Amino acid sequence: MADALELQALWEDFHRVVNMTSAELAAWLRVRDADEETEPLPEAAGTPTGQHVLAILQKRRTDLTDDDIRVMYKVVDTVGDLVDMEDEPEPETAADGARRHRLMTLGHDPLKP
């Protein structure tokens, strides 16, 4: 497990890049997986990583597992690679929309202030 200072920095970075609330992320994961005829059970909606991010959002820092910490690093790195956190442009093309949807699955909505 990470030391206390490293864990504190990761916790802050994770909550900086994950700018959706747990309710917003849960709703997005359900909408993302729904189709015209079916909708998955709420606990089965979304990608495994999206579900794990949702679970982390509902935890206290003291309750994190090593697997949670691994996912947090993955999310921080992935969002950091895909987003300029200082100057996020609004999506304008279909490719930008797909990028936004991928980020939202990780709990980051680039259009959210």
Side-chain angles (χ1 to χ4, degrees):
M1 188 164 249
D3 69 25
L5 289 176
E6 186 178 348
L7 184 58
Q8 175 66 28
L10 175 61
W11 181 262
E12 290 171 6
D13 287 345
F14 178 80
H15 283 88
R16 179 178 48 83
V17 300
V18 176
N19 65 356
M20 296 170 72
T21 65
S22 58
E24 291 168 333
L25 179 56
W28 167 250
L29 294 174
R30 285 191 307 272
V31 166
R32 182 188 169 278
D33 276 5
D35 62 25
E36 290 181 15
E37 297 178 19
T38 62
E39 182 175 334
L41 295 172
E43 61 275 359
T47 65
T49 302
Q51 282 295 320
H52 204 142
V53 170
L54 182 58
I56 292 168
L57 288 174
Q58 298 168 344
K59 289 185 175 188
R60 297 177 307 195
R61 185 175 57 228
T62 57
D63 296 331
L64 296 173
T65 66
D66 287 341
D67 199 37
D68 295 336
I69 291 169
R70 181 189 56 76
V71 168
M72 290 170 72
Y73 275 117
K74 177 182 174 183
V75 169
V76 168
D77 289 345
T78 302
V79 172
D81 289 346
L82 294 173
V83 174
D84 175 3
M85 295 299 290
E86 300 300 318
D87 188 28
E88 177 64 31
E90 291 190 20
E92 296 178 5
T93 67
D96 289 334
R99 179 180 147 276
R100 177 179 182 228
H101 291 171
R102 177 175 177 213
L103 287 165
M104 288 175 68
T105 299
L106 298 174
H108 177 81
D109 184 351
L111 298 184
K112 191 173 181 181

